[in-house]
Amino acid sequence: MSKEIPYKIYLPESELPNQWYNVRADMKNKPAPLLNPATHKPATLEELSQVFCTELAKQELDENDAYIDIPQEIQDFYKMYRPAPLVRAYCLEKALDTPAKIYYKFEGNNTSGSHKLNSAIAQAYYAKKQGLKGVTTETGAGQWGTALSMACSYMHLDCKVYMVKVSYEQKPFRREVMRTYGASVTPSPSDTTEIGRKILKEFPGTNGSLGCAISEAVEVATHTEGYRYVLGSVLNQVLLHQSIIGLETMKACDMYDIKPDVIIGCAGGGSNLGGLISPFMGRKLRGEADYQFIAVEPASCPSLTRGAFAYDFCDTGKVCPLQKMYTLGSGFMPSPNHAGGLRYHGMSSILSQLYHDGLMEARSVEQTSVFDAATKFARVEGILPAPESSHAIRVAIDEALKCKETGEEKTILFGLTGTGYFDMYAYEKFNDGKMSDYIPTDEEIAASLANLPKID
Amino acid sequence: MSKEIPYKIYLPESELPNQWYNVRADMKNKPAPLLNPATHKPATLEELSQVFCTELAKQELDENDAYIDIPQEIQDFYKMYRPAPLVRAYCLEKALDTPAKIYYKFEGNNTSGSHKLNSAIAQAYYAKKQGLKGVTTETGAGQWGTALSMACSYMHLDCKVYMVKVSYEQKPFRREVMRTYGASVTPSPSDTTEIGRKILKEFPGTNGSLGCAISEAVEVATHTEGYRYVLGSVLNQVLLHQSIIGLETMKACDMYDIKPDVIIGCAGGGSNLGGLISPFMGRKLRGEADYQFIAVEPASCPSLTRGAFAYDFCDTGKVCPLQKMYTLGSGFMPSPNHAGGLRYHGMSSILSQLYHDGLMEARSVEQTSVFDAATKFARVEGILPAPESSHAIRVAIDEALKCKETGEEKTILFGLTGTGYFDMYAYEKFNDGKMSDYIPTDEEIAASLANLPKID
């Protein structure tokens, strides 16, 4: 049985998933619990509920329910930009002259430009349901902030975004998209918070940092009646929401009898990779099928490939719970010259555990080779990819070229998480031949890891 | 019979049109012929073939063949980003509390961000087929230049874009997208052409203009072996290629028994509006159905609503053939403060004739009310629309609100031509309350029209 595979597979709306999949339920070795940063004891629902909405805190802790119903309101919102197409990369295959079959799940066909919207709407929904007035968050490049602004606008929730000052000034487009959706965007550090005022006094003229923006957002959320803090990656709840990516993909594959051998995704905090692979990993964990999973990270920020598997802070401000994960240390500073949203020191604890258990591989790739792959892809497949997504493209191309050598007709699937329309400064650098690579030395990483918190 | 209407209708690939529709074949009053600017006699195929590819020149002159086969290579390219979805605006309807049913055909789901790609790939294909080395064009904001760069990259054709200098400097993102697709982008005026050098000498430090960029692009095309000039709107051939929009829409409507009462599109040169309405207009011309068609233009550049129906130059440089159309005069300068790609002095001769014959209506709308509609739409439908497309949104909302007053359950269909991701400076102006309206005076328009060429 082999149906002709269309260029793009769109599931009918009647086939869209109405439950998320929680891979923790099928994991023999569960991810280690979050720890209270003060007591080093497992964080309780009550503690987590002071920062997150209660329903989201429950999802964060739930390691037993395999399927969670997607509320109807969220399903309705999903229908505005989902299903995301599963695309057969016929033109890329031809350009590479490979016997491999290449597919990608394209999550960029929405105004936020990425998969981030899948979790943003869920988090906004539960906040609204809890009767909150609004949410706070931080954003660096602006992808998560944009998605959250859209979700909050739809749910009639206030949205306060703390945007790293240098991005606020250098990326006015993202900022204006957020403002158009009604969010208030504050350059961080700002004089609206205690921590912001303290930093401004100590370092006048600072460009800001993600760590500082997180601290401001958390301060406002915990000090303002009716507000909570939300986060776009790393967390278990985020991987749960993002499982919609993998569920749609798996259904489309089953429908056309597509059997992926290799599944590839870029990995920063793990939201996209975790979402894409979760249901396939479930089959692997249950012994129903086997797949090769590859996480791709930047050589400049190699948490899986060169980090330690240990408890660490999720934020540089050290106010959030401790999480056991592959980490480069919460003080690790990736080179600022390097583009992309993959510059996070840690990794989702679910993915960290799966990697630790040998169920997933990881590779690191250098930036110039990533943009080289991005440009090749754009020219034949028509979509100008986000730098983050292009990490997955790089390895997908590498794998397809290996097939060309060996003659294997592997089926390669990767996640194309988003578009690069707001990343043209990075493309400009590449087009002008001014982009460079940066790989941290062993000494740098060791120095950063020396500061990991001591947990008994 | 009433099937439940999905949020988005995607035609199956097997249902995608394999022929374009040429509305001229069904028009009783054909558009007046193009005239040679020197002799004022109808332009011949031979004359047109010096500027355009021969096959495209033939399409330009063909007023009898109702259906033209879409070459397989173009169909394959279309499959990379088409079908475009026909979207039911459930959320907008709810927000407006209208009994009207609102649909939009969304053409922005591709990296060029608009419908322009539909004609760009056709023009690049015929250029390649004729054995040309490359094509030249001009671009203002960059939408057309981006689409052409993508098409040329796919067809392995050289692409030389002359970009108005002020846009080249102020819109570096679009420029970099074009460069990523391998196009050479030259700020105009430049020292690469005779006319460019002349203008630079006469007006050192000038910001450039579309008229000047066209002149440079035409000079290079006609003076370089193996090159031709291409244009993204106004021409009959462009409306032919863009009929893919209307054909897909009509098929989706028929499939779900959707009967539009009103069909609305923004109109600059007419490429999108003409493409969307052509097949519906065909039914109207053949007496098979009736529709109300509304062209929406900016109040700052009101060619249909306040221009004259007369022969005029298509370009400010006065080197291209004369065309009979609604025009404000080729010397008309729309206010530079006003955003959008609808700032063209004339209009497609096909649409001009249909409007003149009373088969289509036209309305003009002011910029601030357009951005107000754009923002409303973005917040409920999730897509941040291009300023051009938002002209159609404005009138669609107006029509839906009328239905609310009268209680009529009209079906309103409009063309959402593209996304506004590269137009955030205009949104910023609006968000900051700094956007103003501009309506030319009767005297300004009369003065411009006084310079129309005299044709016997």
Side-chain angles (χ1 to χ4, degrees), chain A residues 241-309:
Chain A
H241 308 147
Q242 294 296 356
S243 69
I244 188 86
I245 304 173
L247 290 164
E248 276 186 15
T249 305
M250 202 163 75
K251 199 169 261 191
C253 284
D254 290 350
M255 204 177 269
Y256 285 91
D257 206 23
I258 300 163
K259 296 186 194 304
D261 299 296
V262 194
I263 305 180
I264 301 164
C266 61
S271 67
N272 140 69
L273 179 68
L276 173 65
I277 71 173
S278 274
F280 294 98
M281 183 63 81
R283 282 190 176 165
K284 181 165 174 159
L285 290 166
R286 296 189 303 271
E288 298 164 10
D290 196 18
Y291 309 96
Q292 180 186 14
F293 299 105
I294 307 176
V296 190
E297 55 185 16
S300 61
C301 192
S303 53
L304 287 171
T305 50
R306 296 176 67 198
F309 186 46

Side-chain angles (χ1 to χ4, degrees), chain A residues 2 29 32 48 69 118 140 163 176 185 196 205 215 241-242 271 277 280 310 329 417 428:
Chain A
S2 78
N29 300 326
L48 288 181
D69 287 343
N118 299 329
M163 186 170 189
E176 288 308 319
V185 187
S215 305
H241 308 147
Q242 294 296 356
S271 67
I277 71 173
F280 294 98
T417 56
E428 181 176 15

Side-chain angles (χ1 to χ4, degrees), chain A residues 6-8 10 13 76 79-83 91 109-111 150 153-154 172-173 175-177 179-182 375 378-384 421-422 424-425 427-428 431-432, chain B residues 6-8 10 13 76 79-83 91 109-111 150 153-154 172-173 175-177 179-182 375 378-384 421-422 424-425 427-428 431-432:
Chain A
Y7 274 65
K8 297 191 296 301
Y10 285 105
E13 276 174 22
D76 287 346
K79 281 182 194 156
M80 293 207 297
Y81 68 100
R82 310 198 66 84
C91 297
N109 263 352
N110 69 74
T111 286
M150 292 175 65
S153 155
Y154 184 81
F173 281 17
R175 180 188 76 206
E176 288 308 319
V177 177
R179 289 184 67 210
T180 300
Y181 281 94
T375 303
R379 291 188 181 185
V380 294
E381 288 288 321
I383 298 166
L384 190 129
Y421 308 150
F422 294 95
M424 295 315 298
Y425 285 125
Y427 274 96
E428 181 176 15
N431 292 336
D432 287 342
Chain B
Y7 275 64
K8 299 192 296 301
Y10 287 104
E13 277 175 20
D76 286 345
K79 280 181 196 158
M80 291 207 298
Y81 68 101
R82 310 198 67 82
C91 299
N109 262 354
N110 68 74
T111 286
M150 291 175 66
S153 155
Y154 185 82
F173 281 17
R175 180 188 77 207
E176 288 309 319
V177 178
R179 288 183 67 210
T180 300
Y181 281 94
T375 303
R379 291 187 181 186
V380 293
E381 288 289 320
I383 299 167
L384 190 128
Y421 309 148
F422 294 95
M424 295 316 297
Y425 285 124
Y427 274 95
E428 181 176 15
N431 291 337
D432 288 341

Side-chain angles (χ1 to χ4, degrees), chain B residues 319-333:
Chain B
V319 295
C320 297
L322 290 159
Q323 181 171 289
K324 192 168 180 194
M325 59 184 173
Y326 278 86
T327 178
L328 295 162
S330 64
F332 181 80
M333 292 297 282

Side-chain angles (χ1 to χ4, degrees), chain B residues 19 27 42 173 184 220 250 268 283 305 308 336 386 391:
Chain B
Q19 295 186 311
M27 289 169 71
F173 281 17
S184 71
V220 172
M250 200 161 78
R283 283 190 176 165
T305 50
H391 286 70

